[in-house]
Amino acid sequence: MSTQTHHHEKDKQDLNKFGYAQELLRSMGGFSNFAISFSIISILTGAVSLYGHGLTYGGPGMMGFGWPLVALFVMIVAASMAELASAIPTAGALYHWASILKNKRWGWYTAWINLIGQIGIVAGIDYSVSLFADPLLSDVFGYTSTETTILICFGVILLTHGILNHIGIRIVAKFNDFSAWYHIGVVAVLVASLAFFSKGSLNSVDYLFHVGQTFSDKPYMFAFLIGLLQAQWTFTGFDASAHTIEETVNPRVRAPWGIFTSVAYSFVFGFIMLAFVTLSIKDAGAAAGSDNAFIYVIREALGGDFGRVMLWLVVAAMWFCGLSSITSFSRMMYAFSRDKGMPLSKQWAEISKKFRTPAKAIWLAVILSFLLALVDYIIKKSNPGTTHTTIAFMTAVSVVGLYVAYGIPIALKMIAKAQGKFQSKHLGPWHLGKYSDLLGSLAIVWIIFISVIMVIPPNEMAGYALAGMIVLLVAMDLLYYRKHFPGPQAALNTSMAEILRKERELEGGSSGGGTGISHKG
């Protein structure tokens, strides 16, 4: 038996132990699993599309201090999540973890909060593409870029992502692999261009760490905290490595590394890129006051034609990011619907016989993401005095939704461990050892802190939207799902001990001599 066949058989048996059949095509390697999270994080999307937000509130010091600060805490969150992915390798990820560690109702709420965040991140990413692409297209075709043309461009971009995800995971995986290298390549070209071809000399390095300057009406320390949205939103979506875990070979090792390394590499390459962009600024006030600060800085530094070429390269990277985000979102909905957690679950859990993809879930992801932008568009048209930006609204919704969903299973694991229900034998081959509780506690503190920061003015609209969604969730739960949600197959045994016992029975009573639920590397 070949090594690949051996892994496929073990991975299939591992999934069976949690009550699921191998329906999705398991063809992703370790790099592909890393690449999907790296592409969704996309330093050429989050850091770029919210560059003006960060510069306006925190000045150049936002890039020098804000980016590393956020990255440090996000790596802690990612490490805690990676540990859980290694222990419980199912596509339901966050909500399966919560269901097993506590109960199905905790899992249900985790799933829905995650879905809210997923809607926000897909909408935010593809809207970012349109914010950059539409003005560039307007220069080519001679029309005026408006909120209406940006919305139309947004819809077309979503459509292309829906079609490619429908066709198959192999195509998307190849795009993701290419996307990871493409992101690194574009960052390298951009940095080299700014370093050697920028008009005029670069600012001195200490400019990157200049604090105290804000172009908002807020006190600097408060403004700096608001500006953290730039980095915090960039570092979202790395749970994609867990959502595609049933399509990954040797997932208990490869998916955790995909989660953690996607954040670590994004931090390094993102910091280098932001440093050179910021050191290229000629007039920070003019950049902050422009329609798009990043476009303004690049055009001022590199000139019209060269600047446009670089911006088109950035747009392509954003497009790859959106493609990956639809993949992650649809797998989450597929897994949740498979467990009857959504209205019309049977439809969203259906797998295309031809393409082996959750086709209907993919198109639902596209529709919901477009609706979020459409609702915001209607609100702004009805209230011309509205001051919030569409991209800040979407990104704040995604940050809070995703990070609260990240935090719930981390907290539940710590509680279960304190109660003796989660022990070292339940860990997978990727774990944090004696530092697990410390890192988990730091992750929870950061998630609470950042969730508050993301919904205070001027992002209060995101807070209102999230509050409305939570009220709707509670109503859905009390009126129907409290009695009718069966819970994931992975949690039917209700305890880690029962899952471990079932595994030993299936393996002929042998514990395998290692740690973790399945003892598979």
Side-chain angles (χ1 to χ4, degrees):
M1 182 184 293
S2 68
T3 303
Q4 184 79 351
T5 302
H6 176 69
H7 274 304
H8 274 293
E9 189 58 32
K10 284 197 170 186
D11 296 341
K12 178 181 176 181
Q13 291 175 1
D14 215 15
L15 185 60
N16 294 160
K17 292 164 192 170
F18 287 90
Y20 296 110
Q22 182 69 56
E23 294 183 285
L24 296 170
L25 182 64
R26 194 179 289 274
S27 62
M28 296 178 72
F31 183 80
S32 294
N33 185 277
F34 154 82
I36 190 169
S37 286
F38 185 73
S39 296
I40 293 177
I41 292 174
S42 181
I43 54 178
L44 289 168
T45 300
V48 166
S49 59
L50 287 176
Y51 185 80
H53 180 89
L55 183 66
T56 298
Y57 286 98
M62 178 58 62
M63 317 306 161
F65 288 113
W67 182 268
L69 173 68
V70 170
L72 171 64
F73 282 99
V74 173
M75 282 194 286
I76 292 172
V77 175
S80 297
M81 288 173 58
E83 185 175 60
L84 284 166
S86 186
I88 308 171
T90 60
L94 308 171
Y95 100 92
H96 278 184
W97 305 343
S99 298
I100 292 172
L101 292 165
K102 185 63 176 178
N103 57 45
K104 65 182 183 181
R105 291 192 74 197
W106 276 93
W108 187 85
Y109 276 103
T110 302
W112 272 104
I113 294 169
N114 189 22
L115 285 175
I116 290 170
Q118 292 278 3
I119 294 170
I121 195 172
V122 171
I125 290 168
D126 277 3
Y127 200 82
S128 295
V129 186
S130 63
L131 281 174
F132 276 72
D134 192 63
L136 292 171
L137 288 169
S138 70
D139 288 345
V140 175
F141 295 105
Y143 66 88
T144 301
S145 178
T146 65
E147 288 189 352
T148 301
T149 60
I150 289 171
L151 184 69
I152 293 170
C153 185
F154 170 64
V156 172
I157 291 163
L158 276 171
L159 186 64
T160 63
H161 290 157
I163 292 171
L164 284 170
N165 270 281
H166 185 134
I167 290 172
I169 188 61
R170 282 185 172 142
I171 292 175
V172 174
K174 288 179 180 178
F175 271 116
N176 287 335
D177 291 353
F178 175 74
S179 173
W181 291 113
Y182 181 83
H183 272 75
I184 295 170
V186 172
V187 168
V189 171
L190 179 60
V191 167
S193 300
L194 293 172
F196 299 108
F197 303 109
S198 181
K199 295 181 177 180
S201 60
L202 298 177
N203 296 309
S204 60
V205 174
D206 60 344
Y207 182 72
L208 183 65
F209 302 97
H210 177 65
V211 296
Q213 183 180 39
T214 179
F215 301 98
S216 70
D217 58 354
K218 313 290 184 187
Y220 184 75
M221 285 307 298
F222 184 60
F224 184 88
L225 294 178
I226 294 172
L228 291 177
L229 174 63
Q230 178 200 10
Q232 193 66 51
W233 184 60
T234 304
F235 292 111
T236 52
F238 48 89
D239 54 319
S241 290
H243 292 307
T244 53
I245 206 164
E246 291 181 26
E247 296 160 90
T248 302
V249 179
N250 195 15
R252 292 186 119 166
V253 172
R254 287 174 170 174
W257 277 119
I259 291 170
F260 184 76
T261 57
S262 62
V263 175
Y265 280 107
S266 294
F267 160 51
V268 174
F269 288 110
F271 184 76
I272 294 170
M273 178 190 73
L274 288 174
F276 276 89
V277 172
T278 303
L279 295 178
S280 301
I281 292 176
K282 311 302 181 189
D283 185 338
S290 65
D291 291 337
N292 190 310
F294 189 86
I295 290 178
Y296 181 89
V297 172
I298 296 303
R299 283 182 168 172
E300 287 291 301
L302 299 178
D305 292 338
F306 192 11
R308 273 191 291 273
V309 171
M310 287 306 309
L311 289 169
W312 273 115
L313 292 175
V314 170
V315 167
M318 292 180 171
W319 184 88
F320 286 125
C321 174
L323 180 69
S324 301
S325 67
I326 289 285
T327 307
S328 176
F329 188 7
S330 62
R331 269 46 175 191
M332 171 60 206
M333 282 198 293
Y334 158 76
F336 194 31
S337 298
R338 182 174 59 180
D339 296 326
K340 302 178 175 62
M342 293 179 64
L344 304 175
S345 284
K346 185 177 179 180
Q347 297 295 318
W348 320 128
E350 188 175 308
I351 298 293
S352 166
K353 293 180 180 179
K354 182 176 181 181
F355 297 111
R356 296 279 303 277
T357 58
K360 292 182 179 179
I362 288 167
W363 289 108
L364 180 61
V366 168
I367 292 168
L368 291 175
S369 301
F370 183 79
L371 285 177
L372 183 64
L374 181 62
V375 168
D376 184 74
Y377 174 82
I378 293 171
I379 290 173
K380 293 179 77 173
K381 286 294 182 182
S382 303
N383 301 278
T386 303
T387 57
H388 76 274
T389 63
T390 300
I391 191 64
F393 166 72
M394 290 177 176
T395 52
V397 167
S398 66
V399 164
V400 178
L402 288 173
Y403 273 88
V404 170
Y406 295 170
I408 291 173
I410 294 173
L412 291 178
K413 192 214 79 172
M414 294 174 64
I415 294 170
K417 186 176 179 181
Q419 295 173 340
K421 296 178 181 178
F422 188 97
Q423 303 169 24
S424 59
K425 63 186 177 184
H426 298 129
L427 293 167
W430 201 107
H431 59 83
L432 301 171
K434 63 181 181 180
Y435 299 105
S436 179
D437 287 346
L438 173 62
L439 295 178
S441 299
L442 290 173
I444 297 301
V445 169
W446 179 255
I447 288 169
I448 293 171
F449 167 73
I450 207 68
S451 296
V452 173
I453 296 299
M454 293 301 104
V455 296
I456 58 178
N459 288 337
E460 68 270 22
M461 279 300 297
Y464 298 149
L466 287 162
M469 292 176 188
I470 294 299
V471 169
L472 180 60
L473 288 187
V474 172
M476 290 168 58
D477 178 35
L478 295 178
L479 293 174
Y480 181 79
Y481 286 99
R482 180 167 59 94
K483 293 182 177 180
H484 295 92
F485 177 53
Q489 288 292 323
L492 288 182
N493 289 318
T494 70
S495 73
M496 301 297 290
E498 283 297 309
I499 292 173
L500 190 65
R501 182 188 60 77
K502 180 180 177 183
E503 181 221 38
R504 285 173 174 167
E505 287 180 356
L506 289 170
E507 293 188 351
S510 171
S511 66
T515 60
I517 295 171
S518 75
H519 312 292
K520 301 282 189 291

